[in-house]
Amino acid sequence: VGDSIELHCASDEIPPLTFIFFKFNGPKAQRLKDVRSNEKFAVHQLKVAANTGKNYSCQVQASGINYSRHSKIVQITVQDPFSDPVLEIEPSDTIFEGDSLTIRCMVNFTPLFLGVQPQMMIVKDAIAITTIYNTTTAVFTTTAALNDTGEYECMAKWKEAMKMTKRKVIVKVPVSEPTLKSTRTGDNVLEGDTLDLSCAVLKGSYPITYKFYKVTTDAALYQKSLNATEAVYSITSVNSEHHGTYSCEASNTVNQRNQTKRSQYVTITVKDTSWWKYIIISVSLAILVAAAILSLCLIRLCKNKDISQVDESDGTHQGEPLQHIQGSIFLGADADRNHEGDYTNIMQPEGNGANTDRNHEGDYTYITLPEGKAYIFTGSDSE
């Protein structure tokens, strides 16, 4: 395989001649090629492949001759320069993380081709990891890890001849300790919201079984087997019953033994949203009370304005003498700020008609009186 061979057909007939080459598949002949030649022979070249091994013959046709004859049949046997490759994996196809993994690719030569030196390759997932020339064996050794899992090929090549074989290697890895996380900041959630709990591992051979627990019960709340390093448990419409402490488990099977690891504990606090109702009611009552107070103030303000307008229109207390007693001015208990102004203290004369023209006018005084109080001012006519 990979070589080239020539089929040589010769005749004693006088040229020019036509040589026809045939290949036999059982009793049926397949016409391969016609060669016209001015010589008494012709050549047909073949590239040897695995299916080249068959029976061959040729036929000659000469000008002016109405007959032709087939040659004797020649049998061609195609032989590979080496055997089918052998791929050995130690200790086995299923290996455990941390063990020594050895992959060996080998071929054997047939006696006819002793001394042929092929190219040997070990390929993982279509990438060559070891290539060795002029030898019959290639070896790859490593400490098994999860990423060593995959399909390995052993390839042997010489000229156009190439053979290969494949085997799959699985490196089993126990699950690492899982980590439980909540999607809520600070592990707090309001009633009615959705809570997602995530259980994740850094490594572990698939499939991995995840289980979620609450400390108040031994039964798993939720479980699922996945070809993934993370599982999520969703709780919709959270209520007070979901308040509590949670954990999760991750497990897989390695070396026919179940490997189980438990996460840390996470406490979920469910907050009651009913306090919003009390806030809304309190705010509503405060608004109603404020509105009532504002209405009363507006009504009183309008009433005071009306009284002021009446006083200005009828001249109450403007230029008129107040009720008075000698040496004093008395303002009743209903005095209000409408009594503000300038006043004159006038003394009544003693006796009937005596000194009636005496006018005891004093210096005027500007008086400001608070509402709702009575005041009495006393003193002599000289004060």
Side-chain angles (χ1 to χ4, degrees), residues 192-374:
D193 284 353
T194 298
L195 172 65
D196 291 332
L197 295 175
S198 167
C199 186
V201 296
L202 293 177
K203 62 181 181 178
S205 297
Y206 300 149
I208 299 175
T209 300
Y210 298 91
K211 295 180 181 180
F212 294 82
Y213 294 89
K214 192 176 181 182
V215 294
T216 55
T217 178
D218 293 332
L221 301 173
Y222 173 79
Q223 79 173 60
K224 194 166 188 178
S225 293
L226 299 171
N227 290 332
T229 56
E230 182 181 14
V232 177
Y233 171 45
S234 294
I235 304 174
T236 57
S237 189
V238 172
N239 57 46
S240 58
E241 294 180 357
H242 297 115
H243 178 92
T245 302
Y246 294 80
S247 66
C248 73
E249 279 184 356
S251 62
N252 65 353
T253 301
V254 175
N255 196 17
Q256 299 180 347
R257 292 177 299 175
N258 185 268
Q259 305 287 327
T260 302
K261 299 289 179 65
R262 195 74 174 247
S263 74
Q264 86 287 9
Y265 291 95
V266 172
T267 299
I268 300 299
T269 302
V270 179
K271 291 192 174 181
D272 186 4
T273 56
S274 59
W275 59 277
W276 283 99
K277 299 177 184 177
Y278 297 116
I279 290 179
I280 293 174
I281 293 173
S282 300
V283 171
S284 300
L285 290 174
I287 293 174
L288 291 175
V289 171
I293 293 173
L294 180 61
S295 299
L296 291 174
C297 290
L298 290 175
I299 292 172
R300 185 169 183 180
L301 180 62
C302 293
K303 183 177 180 181
N304 290 339
K305 183 177 180 181
D306 292 340
I307 294 172
S308 175
Q309 290 175 350
V310 169
D311 290 345
E312 290 176 359
S313 62
D314 61 10
T316 302
H317 303 310
Q318 294 183 12
E320 297 179 358
L322 298 171
Q323 177 184 358
H324 58 275
I325 303 175
Q326 179 179 353
S328 66
I329 297 176
F330 174 76
L331 300 178
D334 60 341
D336 58 23
R337 297 185 65 88
N338 290 326
H339 297 93
E340 294 177 5
D342 297 332
Y343 296 86
T344 301
N345 183 12
I346 303 174
M347 298 292 295
Q348 289 288 348
E350 296 180 359
N352 292 329
N355 299 323
T356 58
D357 59 346
R358 182 182 176 185
N359 186 359
H360 299 278
E361 294 182 1
D363 296 334
Y364 64 86
T365 303
Y366 186 83
I367 302 173
T368 300
L369 303 177
E371 292 181 10
K373 297 204 175 183

Side-chain angles (χ1 to χ4, degrees), residues 157-221:
K157 183 178 180 181
W158 181 69
K159 293 186 178 181
E160 299 299 323
M162 184 175 70
K163 290 187 175 184
M164 69 177 64
T165 187
K166 298 180 180 180
R167 285 180 69 177
K168 190 170 184 179
V169 175
I170 298 176
V171 179
K172 289 285 189 177
V173 180
V175 291
S176 60
E177 182 177 310
T179 301
L180 183 65
K181 292 182 179 179
S182 166
T183 56
R184 294 290 175 177
T185 303
D187 300 327
N188 294 325
V189 60
L190 296 178
E191 280 190 341
D193 284 353
T194 298
L195 172 65
D196 291 332
L197 295 175
S198 167
C199 186
V201 296
L202 293 177
K203 62 181 181 178
S205 297
Y206 300 149
I208 299 175
T209 300
Y210 298 91
K211 295 180 181 180
F212 294 82
Y213 294 89
K214 192 176 181 182
V215 294
T216 55
T217 178
D218 293 332
L221 301 173

Side-chain angles (χ1 to χ4, degrees), residues 16-19 34-39 41-42 61 63:
L17 301 173
T18 301
F19 297 89
D34 292 6
V35 179
R36 289 186 60 84
S37 176
N38 292 323
E39 303 291 338
F41 67 91
Q61 291 180 351
S63 297

